[in-house]
């Protein structure tokens, strides 16, 4: 959850195995070390676009609130509110069911008592310093694309159902106390994809959603294609197209889960750099675009140019030199950290697949280990309950990050007869943490396909001797491995024999494998240049920083 920049790992006492790959026409010079001030911000993690059974979706609203509180610092649960041009779909019999389930959901939300219940339950979870909640609603449009409206204020009124998002932005909404997020921007224009001609740069539209359970909208190519029945990815509405047109916006991700599991691991998550966990502080950071996107892993990024933070627009210093500082801490093995300038890679840092392992003067190794469980393919155990405790025999447990997932739903689920599938969500919890142990209670379901995991996991950050052991006592069984064994490779165990539920200690990663830090200098290419970071872990978790724009004097 909360990630303080003061905890970013330094390279002291550790050997980095880093390979530099030079990009074509590279201007950057990394032979110098730049100075930069201490970072005053804390990273807070949230999800500002996700769904439950409030309107259409699965999983109870109450479970969604509880799931969010278990692993996020701030959140909303988003009801679907309106689709002003939905009648344009009439005439196609195959789309009648789409119209029906949307309009039925919208009517449900218009009940004043129903809406009041939504607002009041969100308020109950707003606990500054612990969790911060925001009310929201979603607006669909064939013409304008899909948008989520989020309010800073704890009370939010639903606008008239036929109001377009452009009318809401320009005439209806409180510009100071609402934000509007375009999402699913990579879909085809005219079919709920994004059209950049309707974008208006302002604090009310601080960012666009480039990743969710729908896939990735960074550009024409790249990770996470769009395979929902809403169609393939189209370049025109992508993040890359928007930046190329000169628009300025931050980069965010949301889960867009329709299963009552906000912020699911691998579904999308928003990082906000703020000074404290309050509505005012988060709101200020969001509107300043001091944000970035991840696919779910809490990858920590400190990216600055001339000490300006992501989201800012600055002018060159008198000497024209741009001092770029990058510090990234992954949750697992980092594959590479890439610096993009005007759409081109100008710097890429790779980490060796087998990073160097170094102990400190006390013989302790700083490492991260992901404990994963699920897989249960036997239909008689379609949902498995887990009770477990993970303990260290020595050293210290520095941090515990839950990586909970929900079901992979992005729309109402139907069986082969066209009947809606009854399904209810669950709540996973970390029940206790100490300096050397963590206990949990969780549930898992079968993976729907070999490349579509819904396993649950917990990321452990440890500092211990290679000979010290990590023990998992889980569902009546005990598994024990030394850190040295886990640094060598992953360990797997079937709980009841082949094709039953299983657990895995993923390969432990030493600090040299999950940290990248570099400084370089660059100069102007155009009257105004933009830069952003792209981070990839070997487990296919990604992060994208918001850009920094630099004007050439």
């Amino acid at each position: 959850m909360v990630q303080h920049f003061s905890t970013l790992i330094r390279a002291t006492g550790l050997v980095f195995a880093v390979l530099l790959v030079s990009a074509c026409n590279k201007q950057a010079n990394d032979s110098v070390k730049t100075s930069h001030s201490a970072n005053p911000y804390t990273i807070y993690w949230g999800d500002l676009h996700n769904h439950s059974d409030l309107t259409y979706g699965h999983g109870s609203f109450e479970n969604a609130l509880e799931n969010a509180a278990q692993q996020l610092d701030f959140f909303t649960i988003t009801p679907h509110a309106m689709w002003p041009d939905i009648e344009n779909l009439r005439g196609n019999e195959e789309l009648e069911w789409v119209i029906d389930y949307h309009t039925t959901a919208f009517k449900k939300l218009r009940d004043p008592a129903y809406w009041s219940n939504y607002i009041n339950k969100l308020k109950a979870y707003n606990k500054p310093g612990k969790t911060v909640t925001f009310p929201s609603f979603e607006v669909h449009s064939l013409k304008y694309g899909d948008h989520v409206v989020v309010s800073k204020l704890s009370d939010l009124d639903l606008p008239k159902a036929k109001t377009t998002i452009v009318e809401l932005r320009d005439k209806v909404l409180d510009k100071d106390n609402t934000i509007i997020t375009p999402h699913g921007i990579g879909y085809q224009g005219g079919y709920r994809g994004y059209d950049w001609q309707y974008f208006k740069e302002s604090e009310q539209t601080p960012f666009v959603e480039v990743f969710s359970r729908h896939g990735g909208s960074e550009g024409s190519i790249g990770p996470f294609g769009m395979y929902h029945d809403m169609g393939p990815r189209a370049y025109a509405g992508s993040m890359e197209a928007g930046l190329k047109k000169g628009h300025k916006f931050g980069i965010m991700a949301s889960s867009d889960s329709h299963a009552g599991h906000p912020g699911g691991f691998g579904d999308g998550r928003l990082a906000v750099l703020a000074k404290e966990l309050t509505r005012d502080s988060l709101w200020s950071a969001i509107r300043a675009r001091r944000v970035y996107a991840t696919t779910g892993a809490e990858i920590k990024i400190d990216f600055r140019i001339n000490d300006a933070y992501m989201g800012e627009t600055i002018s060159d210093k008198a000497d024209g030199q741009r001092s770029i500082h990058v510090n990234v801490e992954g949750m697992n093995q980092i594959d590479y950290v890439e610096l993009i300038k005007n759409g081109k890679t100008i710097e890429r840092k790779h980490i060796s697949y087998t990073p160097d392992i170094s102990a400190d003067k006390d013989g302790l190794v700083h490492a991260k280990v992901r404990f994963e469980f699920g897989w249960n393919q036997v239909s008689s155990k379609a949902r498995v309950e887990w009770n477990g405790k993970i303990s260290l025999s020595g050293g210290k447990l520095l941090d515990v990050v839950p990586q909970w997932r929900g079901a992979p739903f992005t729309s109402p689920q139907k069986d082969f007869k066209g009947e809606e599938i009854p399904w209810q969500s669950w709540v996973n919890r970390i029940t206790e943490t100490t300096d050397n142990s963590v206990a949990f209670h969780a549930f898992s379901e079968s993976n729907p396909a070999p490349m579509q995991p819904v396993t649950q996991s917990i990321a452990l950050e440890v500092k211990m001797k290679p000979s010290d052991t990590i023990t998992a006592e889980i569902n009546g069984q005990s598994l024990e491995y030394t850190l040295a064994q886990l640094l060598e490779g992953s360990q797997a165990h079937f709980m009841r024999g082949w094709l039953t539920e299983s657990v895995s200690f993923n390969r432990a990663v030493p600090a040299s494998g999950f940290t990248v830090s570099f400084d370089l200098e660059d100069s102007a290419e155009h009257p105004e240049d933009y830069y952003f970071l792209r981070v990839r872990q070997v487990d296919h978790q990604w992060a994208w920083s918001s850009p920094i724009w630099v004007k050439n004097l």
Side-chain angles (χ1 to χ4, degrees):
M1 295 175 72
V2 177
Q3 304 289 345
H4 295 277
F5 273 111
S6 60
T7 66
L8 284 178
I9 310 306
R10 301 295 182 244
T12 305
L14 297 168
V15 179
F16 274 75
V18 178
L19 172 66
L20 172 64
V21 177
S22 299
C24 296
N25 301 318
K26 190 182 78 169
Q27 292 178 299
N29 177 3
D30 67 347
S31 63
V32 296
K33 296 295 288 183
T34 62
S35 61
H36 53 273
S37 62
N39 194 319
Y41 300 114
T42 297
I43 306 175
Y44 297 105
W45 298 95
D47 188 351
L48 294 182
H49 174 206
N50 61 85
H51 306 284
S52 67
D53 67 358
L54 265 172
T55 43
Y56 66 83
H58 298 268
S60 71
F61 174 42
E62 291 74 17
N63 277 1
L65 288 165
E66 192 61 24
N67 275 316
Q70 295 304 312
Q71 62 178 351
L72 299 173
D73 300 310
F74 64 93
F75 58 89
T76 185
I77 311 297
T78 313
H80 302 89
M82 60 187 77
W83 187 344
D85 57 2
I86 194 172
E87 292 300 317
N88 292 350
L89 298 176
R90 295 288 184 190
N92 184 338
E93 291 186 2
E94 294 184 26
L95 296 179
E96 287 300 321
W97 77 279
V98 176
I99 298 171
D100 289 346
Y101 79 69
H102 278 89
T103 54
T104 299
F106 299 156
K107 289 176 183 177
K108 182 167 61 172
L109 201 63
R110 293 287 161 177
D111 180 344
Y114 195 82
W115 181 255
S116 179
N117 177 66
Y118 165 69
I119 293 294
N120 289 333
K121 286 187 175 179
L122 266 180
K123 287 180 180 178
Y125 275 80
N126 189 64
K127 303 170 183 178
K130 184 178 180 181
T131 56
V132 173
T133 62
F134 299 93
S136 64
F137 60 85
E138 181 168 353
V139 183
H140 297 324
S141 173
L142 294 168
K143 179 179 180 180
Y144 299 115
D146 292 357
H147 296 75
V148 174
V149 175
V150 178
S151 174
K152 176 188 177 184
L153 305 179
S154 58
D155 289 297
L156 175 65
D157 295 327
L158 272 178
K160 294 180 179 179
K162 294 295 184 181
T163 315
T164 69
I165 192 65
V166 171
E167 291 169 335
L168 287 172
R169 180 192 68 195
D170 295 343
K171 300 178 182 179
V172 177
L173 295 175
D174 180 343
K175 295 184 185 302
D176 293 328
N177 291 307
T178 57
I179 60 169
I180 300 171
T181 307
H183 75 85
I185 60 175
Y187 285 120
Q188 182 179 342
Y191 295 92
R192 289 173 57 182
Y194 198 57
D195 188 335
W196 283 103
Q197 70 172 307
Y198 301 116
F199 179 81
K200 181 183 285 188
E201 183 187 334
S202 71
E203 290 185 332
Q204 192 182 26
T205 309
F207 41 51
V208 301
E209 185 184 283
V210 301
F211 178 83
S212 74
R213 177 156 277 285
H214 280 260
S217 299
E218 181 182 352
S220 295
I221 59 174
F224 308 105
M226 302 179 82
Y227 295 106
H228 189 277
D229 52 15
M230 285 175 61
R233 181 164 50 193
Y235 170 75
S238 68
M239 165 190 135
E240 182 183 344
L243 289 172
K244 192 173 182 179
K245 290 177 181 291
H247 296 301
K248 292 181 180 178
F249 50 85
I251 298 173
M252 64 93 77
S254 306
S255 70
D256 200 3
S257 166
H258 284 58
H261 279 263
F265 183 68
D267 291 349
R269 196 172 290 191
L270 169 64
V272 174
L273 280 63
K275 292 188 175 180
E276 58 184 2
L277 186 54
T278 62
R279 270 211 185 113
D280 285 343
S281 186
L282 290 171
W283 200 254
S284 176
I286 285 170
R287 288 168 71 90
R289 303 186 294 236
R290 205 163 53 245
V291 302
Y292 64 93
T294 83
T295 53
E298 295 186 357
I299 299 169
K300 306 172 195 176
I301 296 178
D302 184 2
F303 169 48
R304 288 180 260 173
I305 301 178
N306 292 349
D307 241 8
Y309 291 87
M310 57 186 87
E312 292 190 52
T313 299
I314 60 173
S315 296
D316 273 327
K317 298 183 295 185
D319 63 4
Q321 288 299 301
R322 299 169 180 181
S323 300
I324 301 173
H325 172 67
V326 174
N327 195 3
V328 177
E329 181 184 333
M331 291 298 296
N332 207 320
Q333 171 94 27
I334 291 176
D335 184 6
Y336 61 79
V337 176
E338 196 168 30
L339 178 61
I340 312 299
K341 176 184 180 182
N342 300 329
K344 298 178 180 179
T345 300
I346 64 167
E347 196 80 16
R348 179 184 281 189
K349 297 285 189 180
H350 276 291
I351 288 184
S352 168
Y353 180 73
T354 52
D356 291 324
I357 302 169
S358 296
D360 66 13
K361 60 181 178 61
D362 297 317
L364 303 177
V365 174
H366 190 176
K368 293 191 178 183
V369 186
R370 182 181 176 211
F371 179 73
E372 189 173 8
F373 51 99
W375 282 278
N376 37 292
Q377 298 298 318
V378 177
S379 59
S380 63
K381 296 280 287 185
R383 181 175 293 183
V384 175
E385 183 176 6
W386 301 84
N387 285 285
K389 183 177 182 179
I390 304 171
S391 305
L392 311 184
S393 67
K396 188 174 183 180
L397 184 59
L398 301 177
D399 196 15
V400 174
V401 179
Q403 297 176 331
W404 306 137
R405 284 186 171 114
F409 302 155
T410 52
S411 59
Q413 302 297 296
K414 290 190 173 184
D415 61 23
F416 290 115
K417 296 179 181 179
E419 301 295 326
E420 187 166 323
I421 296 172
W423 185 90
Q424 262 305 337
S425 57
W426 58 82
V427 177
N428 293 339
R429 290 183 172 87
I430 298 292
T431 55
E432 182 184 33
T433 57
T434 70
D435 285 346
N436 61 9
S437 69
V438 54
F440 60 93
H441 177 232
F443 297 85
S444 69
E445 290 191 340
S446 302
N447 297 325
M451 296 297 290
Q452 191 175 27
V454 290
T455 53
Q456 309 298 344
S457 59
I458 300 171
L460 312 173
E461 184 177 358
V462 302
K463 201 167 188 180
M464 55 195 296
K465 294 179 179 178
S467 58
D468 289 336
T469 59
I470 301 178
T471 302
E473 298 172 273
I474 185 164
N475 286 6
Q477 299 188 39
S478 182
L479 308 171
E480 182 178 290
Y481 303 100
T482 64
L483 178 60
Q485 286 177 292
L486 297 179
L487 286 165
E488 182 178 2
S490 60
Q491 301 287 340
H493 175 74
F494 281 113
M495 297 295 291
R496 297 181 297 117
W498 189 49
L499 299 185
T500 66
E501 60 270 24
S502 306
V503 301
S504 168
F505 276 104
N506 293 190
R507 189 183 78 170
V509 182
S512 61
F514 62 74
T515 54
V516 170
S517 184
F518 63 90
D519 297 274
L520 53 84
E521 294 203 352
D522 192 34
S523 56
E525 180 181 347
H526 300 306
E528 184 173 80
D529 302 307
Y530 68 83
Y531 301 77
F532 71 91
L533 289 183
R534 184 190 293 125
V535 181
R536 184 188 187 277
Q537 293 186 166
V538 296
D539 62 357
H540 207 44
Q541 291 290 314
W542 294 69
W544 298 263
S545 79
S546 285
I548 300 174
W549 290 265
V550 186
K551 295 180 179 180
N552 180 18
L553 291 177

